[in-house]
Amino acid sequence: MNRTGQRVLAFSAIASVLIGCLALNTFAAGVTPGWWKESAGERFPLELRYPNAHGQVGIVSVAPVDTRGHPFFEPMGTNGRACVTCHQPANSMSLAVETVRQRWKEAGAQDPLFAMVDGANCPNLKPDDERAHSMLLKHGLFRIGMPWPPRDASGKPIQPEFSIAVVKDPAGCNLDAGFGIASSTPTVSVYRRPRMSANLRYVTTSFSLSGRFDGKTGLPLAIDPKTGKRVGLPIMSDARVTTLEDQARDAIRNHMQAAAPVSEDRIRGIVDFESQVYSAQVSHPLAGSFTASGTPKALGPAALRDGQAIVAGFNYNNPVFFSFDEWKTPQPGDTPEQAAFRASVARGYDVFFVRPMWISDVSWFNSIGMGNPYKRTCAICHSVHLTGNDISPGVMDIGVNNVPTTNASVDTADLPVFRVTCDKAAPGHPYLGREFLTHDPGRALITGKCFDIGALVMQQLRGLAARAPYFSNGSAKDLAAVVEFYDLRFDMKMTDREKQDLGNFLSVL
Amino acid sequence: MKHIDKPLHFLASLALAGVCAVAPAAAPSTERNFVACPIVLDTEDIPCWVAEYEGERYFLAVQTGRSAGVTFVPQLKHRVLVEGTVQPDAPRMCGGIVLGPVKLSVFPDVEPDCGRKLPGDGYKVTGPRPIGPDGVPPGGRSTAVRAARPAAPGRAQQEAQIRADAAAGKPREFEILYFFGSNYLPFPVEQASVDQAAEYFAATSGARVVVTGYRGEALLSNGSKLVEEQPLARQRAQKVADILVNFGVPKDRITVRWEDAPQNNHGVLDWTRRRVTVLGTR
C-alpha cells in the first residue's frame, strides 16, 4: 500500500461513495489501509487524510517529519513495537478495532501489535491462537497489568483502603497462577483503549481555577520536576504520570518492553512530534469537506493547529466548538440530503451545548461541591475549547467502569469483574458505598483510595469517527452506543431525533 | 517541623465542665441545627435545595457552580448537617425559611434512599450560575441568572496585598474552616486561604509559623450533640502544614499544634470552631 497515494483524497471521490459503504478496506487489498509500519522510514507530510465510515479523518503536522530513525516511528524495546504501532494516523493517532482486525488477518501474531505482554488477554497464552487476543480483536483493548497493592512513585507499596477479589475473569489473567492477583507478583489486569497522541497542546496545558491547588482533591497540584511548573492530571487514563515525557518512558518500558531506559533525546523527539500533530475529522460524505467555506470553524484539524489552548469553553464567549449556526439553514447549492445532515449536526451541537440534564452520582464531579444531582449540559464537563475534554484537571467516575452504574447500552460481557470492599475507616465511594462490583478500579489502582474506584481521566472528543470503540474500556461499539449510554445513565429522555443529532454531531468532530 | 501535642486535657475538661453547666439543652431558638435528607426542586431557572425539619421546610441553597464560588450544596443519597440562623425578615425561598449564614456538611456514608428530587412547584429561583452555558447567547436572552454579588478583589490584587503586608512586616492571621467531620479543603475560599497563607509566610523571613488545628461539636436544635472524631484536629493541622511546605514555606519554621478538646459555640455558628489557624510569631 502506498500511503502517499492516500494523501489528500479529493472529497469528490468520497462523496461518490454511499454512506455506510465507505469501509477501510476500499483501498489496496492485502494491506491495512493507511497502516504505518514500524521503521517504514517514510516522510510524515504536512497533511494526511484517511477514510472511515463517517468520511475522512485528517492529520496536520506543523512541520513535515522525516521518520527515518525517528523515535516515534522506531522500535525501542524488545517486541518490535514503536509508538506509531498503537497511535496510527488513520485512526486519529489512536487505534480502531477494525484496524486491529485487519492487522490480524494480514500478519497475525507476527505483527508487534499483538505482543503478548499486553496485546494478549494474558501473556502465557499461545501467541498464534486468535482467542488469546480476543480482548484486542473484539474490543480494541490492551491489557494493563497493575501491581497490587499499588506502588508509589518510588516503588514502595501503598496500603490500599480496599480489598479486591475476582468475581469473573473471562480473559483469564486475573485468576492465573502466574500473572493474577494471587501470583508471586500480584497483578490486577484491566483492559483499556489507547488514547490519541494528537492535539496534546489542548490536553496537557495546565489549567486550574484554584491556582496551585487541584480544585477537585483540595491538594497541591503535582510539580513537573523538569520545568518546576504545576501540572494537572490530564495524561493517561489513570493519570499515573503527569508529563508527556513520563508517559513516553512508561510506554517504552511497559508496552515496548525496553530492557533499559532510552536517552532523553529520544524522549524529547517523541514529545516534540506528538505535540505538533493535530487530528480531527475533515470531511463527511453528506456534509462535505470541512475545509470548504461556510463550514463551522471548529471542524477539521487545522482549527486545532491554529486554535488557542487551553480555554474554558462552557460559555458563549468561547464556546466549546464555536457555533454550528452555518449549518442550521440550507445554503445555495446544498442537496436536500446535505442540508438535512448539516442541520442535524447543528441540532446535535445544541443538544451537547445547551440541553440541560441532571448529572448524578459522578464522583469527583457531583461529590466536590456541585451538588448531587447537578442540572447542566454535556459541555459543563466536556469543556475544553475545541477538544471537549475536562478543563479541570483530574479524574471522574461517569459510571462506565463500575457495574452498578453501567447500563444495557454498552457491552461489558468480556470484561473482568472485581468485588471491591472498602475499609470501614475509609471514606467509601460517594455513591456506591463500601462494597460493589467494578470492571476497572481506575485511578484507585494508583492511589489505593476507595473514592477513586472507577474514576479515570476524560478523553478528548476529536477524531471519534476514526477510532471506535469508545470509552476507556471499549464498551461502546459505536457513537450511537455512546449516546445511548448517557441517555440511560442520566435519564436524559432524549427523543430519537435528538439521539441521532447528537451522534451525527460527534461523528464530524 | 515541630509537633506539639499540647497538654490541654485538664484545661479542656474545665472548660467543658463550665460549658455543660451553662449550656442550654438545645441550640437557641434563633438557630436551626439539624440533620436531614435533602430535597432538590426542579425550579425555574435553576434548581433549589431545601430540607424539612419538624414539619417545616428550610431553604438551603441554590445550585451554583465551581466558577461561581461553591456553597457546597447537598447531595442526594447523603444526609446533610444544616447549621444556620433563622432570618425572620427574609422572604421564603422555594417555600422554605431562609437560614443565614448557613453551613451545610454532607455526611460521607451512602444512604440510597436519602433525599428526593421534586418538581419546582412554580417556584422561580435566581442565582449566580445558569443551567446552560455562561454568558449571553448571540441574539438571545441570557441564560445566566445572576444575583447581585459584591465585586471581590481579584487573585492578583490579593496576592499583591499579601506580598506588601509580608514586606512591611504587617502581621496576618489566616483561618481555614471545615465541613463537619472533614479535613477536605474546599474550593474556592478555603483553598485560597491556605494559598494566601503560604504566599505570605514564604515572603516573610524569620517569622515562625504556628499551625493549630481544632475539632468541633455541633449542638443540634433537638438537644443532641455531634462531636467530631478525636484525630481530626491533628489531621487538619498537619495537612495544612504539609501544603504550606509544598508551597514554599520552610519546614523548619513551622510548628504544628492541635487541641484535642472539641470546640463549640453552644449551638450558634458552631461551624466556626471547626478550623485551623495559621499565625506568625517573631
Side-chain angles (χ1 to χ4, degrees):
Chain A
M1 174 66 191
N2 180 356
R3 276 191 307 279
T4 309
Q6 289 184 35
R7 292 172 193 164
V8 198
L9 286 174
F11 171 69
S12 57
I14 297 298
S16 64
V17 182
L18 294 174
I19 303 173
C21 294
L22 183 62
L24 285 170
N25 58 3
T26 53
F27 292 86
V31 180
T32 308
W35 181 255
W36 281 72
K37 189 169 172 51
E38 304 82 8
S39 307
E42 294 199 24
R43 186 169 176 267
F44 198 95
L46 287 175
E47 184 177 4
L48 288 163
R49 294 188 186 194
Y50 297 97
N52 55 51
H54 297 278
Q56 291 174 297
V57 68
I59 315 290
V60 294
S61 179
V62 171
V65 174
D66 181 355
T67 70
R68 288 174 298 179
H70 192 287
F72 192 89
F73 298 85
E74 291 290 327
M76 284 181 287
T78 58
N79 61 20
R81 281 183 182 158
C83 302
V84 75
T85 308
C86 301
H87 298 281
Q88 287 283 323
N91 296 157
S92 205
M93 305 306 288
S94 175
L95 191 63
V97 71
E98 284 300 329
T99 303
V100 173
R101 293 169 186 163
Q102 190 69 19
R103 290 308 298 158
W104 180 262
K105 282 181 188 171
E106 291 164 5
Q110 303 308 308
D111 193 301
L113 178 61
F114 299 100
M116 296 304 289
V117 62
D118 56 10
N121 300 354
C122 202
N124 60 349
L125 301 175
K126 292 180 180 175
D128 292 334
D129 187 344
E130 184 173 333
R131 292 170 298 179
H133 307 278
S134 64
M135 298 298 275
L136 185 53
L137 286 165
K138 286 178 71 177
H139 307 289
L141 293 169
F142 289 87
R143 188 183 70 90
I144 308 296
M146 301 299 293
W148 186 257
R151 302 283 193 273
D152 66 16
S154 67
K156 187 179 167 189
I158 293 171
Q159 179 63 43
E161 293 179 346
F162 61 95
S163 61
I164 185 166
V166 182
V167 174
K168 188 181 160 200
D169 190 29
C173 213
N174 284 294
L175 291 176
D176 185 86
F179 292 91
I181 292 180
S183 69
S184 59
T185 53
T187 301
V188 176
S189 287
V190 292
Y191 297 84
R192 296 177 184 161
R193 299 273 296 124
R195 300 195 157 207
M196 285 176 74
S197 60
N199 312 330
L200 294 178
R201 186 161 56 91
Y202 294 82
V203 175
T204 57
T205 308
S206 286
F207 178 93
S208 175
L209 289 168
S210 312
R212 294 181 282 187
F213 276 100
D214 177 333
K216 289 182 178 175
T217 64
L219 297 170
L221 290 166
I223 297 174
D224 179 350
K226 194 167 185 180
T227 65
K229 291 182 178 177
R230 299 272 170 185
V231 290
L233 298 172
I235 302 168
M236 304 185 73
S237 56
D238 56 17
R240 82 186 78 142
V241 300
T242 55
T243 65
L244 289 177
E245 287 81 359
D246 280 344
Q247 187 276 330
R249 292 183 190 101
D250 182 274
I252 293 166
R253 182 171 59 248
N254 296 314
H255 299 309
M256 299 184 201
Q257 297 178 280
V262 301
S263 71
E264 286 305 295
D265 282 351
R266 305 285 278 172
I267 297 293
R268 189 72 252 160
I270 293 170
V271 174
D272 284 350
F273 172 76
E274 62 191 6
S275 298
Q276 59 97 58
V277 171
Y278 298 88
S279 180
Q281 195 75 349
V282 75
S283 76
H284 185 277
L286 285 176
S289 169
F290 301 161
T291 57
S293 63
T295 300
K297 64 180 180 179
L299 296 183
L304 289 149
R305 179 195 60 201
D306 302 335
Q308 184 183 351
I310 191 169
V311 176
F314 190 48
N315 58 74
Y316 286 106
N317 296 325
N318 301 289
V320 181
F321 296 109
F322 292 114
S323 165
F324 280 67
D325 285 353
E326 297 93 331
W327 282 3
K328 283 188 172 172
T329 54
Q331 301 299 307
D334 284 358
T335 64
E337 294 80 9
Q338 188 173 35
F341 182 81
R342 288 177 171 181
S344 171
V345 169
R347 289 193 305 270
Y349 182 46
D350 283 346
V351 172
F352 171 85
F353 195 57
V354 300
R355 185 194 192 280
M357 60 177 165
W358 289 94
I359 304 165
S360 62
D361 297 352
V362 177
S363 67
W364 292 121
F365 178 77
N366 295 104
S367 60
I368 54 168
M370 315 296 278
N372 182 42
Y374 186 69
K375 191 177 186 182
R376 288 194 95 169
T377 82
C378 303
I380 184 67
C381 294
H382 295 282
S383 52
V384 173
H385 181 57
L386 289 177
T387 45
N389 43 306
D390 187 5
I391 194 78
S392 189
V395 296
M396 63 174 69
D397 168 26
I398 63 163
V400 77
N401 283 328
N402 294 328
V403 173
T405 41
T406 57
N407 58 54
S409 66
V410 292
D411 177 7
T412 58
D414 292 332
L415 296 172
V417 177
F418 307 97
R419 174 174 284 105
V420 286
T421 306
C422 303
D423 297 344
K424 286 182 179 173
H429 186 286
Y431 306 110
L432 300 178
R434 289 197 161 80
E435 183 172 336
F436 55 95
L437 302 179
T438 184
H439 297 296
D440 184 346
R443 176 72 177 160
L445 289 176
I446 306 298
T447 65
K449 300 290 186 186
C450 241
F451 50 66
D452 281 333
I453 295 173
L456 290 174
V457 176
M458 185 188 298
Q459 302 187 55
Q460 54 176 304
L461 298 180
R462 302 312 296 257
L464 290 168
R467 53 188 179 96
Y470 307 104
F471 294 135
S472 59
N473 58 16
S475 58
K477 65 177 181 182
D478 52 28
L479 292 173
V482 172
V483 170
E484 192 65 26
F485 173 82
Y486 282 105
D487 188 62
L488 292 173
R489 174 71 176 81
F490 297 131
D491 194 22
M492 292 175 71
K493 295 183 172 60
M494 281 189 277
T495 64
D496 288 346
R497 189 172 93 151
E498 284 179 315
K499 291 178 186 176
Q500 182 69 50
D501 292 343
L502 183 56
N504 286 341
F505 163 69
L506 295 173
S507 78
V508 302
L509 293 176
Chain B
M1 199 183 305
K2 294 180 182 176
H3 296 256
I4 301 174
D5 192 356
K6 190 177 176 182
L8 284 178
H9 302 293
F10 176 65
L11 291 173
S13 299
L14 286 180
L16 278 175
V19 166
C20 290
V22 299
S29 61
T30 54
E31 310 303 306
R32 289 294 181 280
N33 303 335
F34 60 93
V35 177
C37 287
I39 300 167
V40 62
L41 304 177
D42 191 8
T43 40
E44 183 188 359
D45 290 307
I46 52 174
C48 177
W49 286 89
V50 299
E52 293 172 350
Y53 175 68
E54 292 190 338
E56 181 60 86
R57 175 182 283 190
Y58 291 90
F59 168 75
L60 304 182
V62 297
Q63 175 178 293
T64 55
R66 295 170 69 71
S67 56
V70 169
T71 59
F72 262 76
V73 291
Q75 299 183 46
L76 301 188
K77 298 187 179 179
H78 293 269
R79 290 181 185 273
V80 61
L81 168 63
V82 180
E83 297 167 283
T85 304
V86 173
Q87 300 297 301
D89 299 328
R92 284 181 176 245
M93 288 278 286
C94 302
I97 294 171
V98 172
L99 303 173
V102 63
K103 185 75 168 182
L104 306 174
S105 298
V106 176
F107 287 0
D109 284 343
V110 180
E111 296 183 51
D113 298 326
C114 181
R116 289 172 289 166
K117 180 158 72 76
L118 297 177
D121 282 344
Y123 292 112
K124 183 176 173 64
V125 178
T126 60
R129 277 293 180 272
I131 292 172
D134 293 337
V136 181
R141 181 180 79 87
S142 171
T143 58
V145 185
R146 295 178 186 281
R149 300 170 72 209
R155 180 186 293 273
Q157 193 179 342
Q158 290 179 358
E159 289 176 355
Q161 184 61 51
I162 287 167
R163 283 193 295 272
D165 288 351
K170 183 178 175 182
R172 293 280 300 252
E173 176 180 351
F174 300 86
E175 183 179 62
I176 299 103
L177 301 176
Y178 292 86
F179 301 112
F180 187 90
S182 168
N183 66 2
Y184 179 71
L185 285 175
F187 170 87
V189 175
E190 311 312 333
Q191 290 178 15
S193 295
V194 178
D195 212 352
Q196 290 169 6
E199 188 85 29
Y200 175 82
F201 289 110
T204 60
S205 57
R208 296 206 60 77
V209 183
V210 180
V211 180
T212 308
Y214 303 86
R215 66 180 174 125
E217 292 177 337
L219 180 60
L220 304 186
S221 295
N222 66 6
S224 61
K225 188 183 284 184
L226 300 174
V227 183
E228 291 187 313
E229 291 184 354
Q230 198 262 343
L232 205 49
R234 176 182 58 78
Q235 290 170 357
R236 285 171 173 163
Q238 189 62 58
K239 184 172 179 177
V240 168
D242 290 345
I243 295 172
L244 293 176
V245 171
N246 186 286
F247 286 176
V249 180
K251 194 173 184 178
D252 59 6
R253 283 173 52 195
I254 298 177
T255 301
V256 179
R257 306 170 71 172
W258 57 88
E259 298 210 9
D260 279 331
Q263 315 287 303
N264 69 35
N265 218 16
H266 316 310
V268 181
L269 306 181
D270 281 346
W271 51 274
T272 60
R273 304 304 178 97
R274 303 192 293 262
R275 62 188 182 134
V276 162
T277 58
V278 186
L279 298 168
T281 61
R282 290 285 176 183

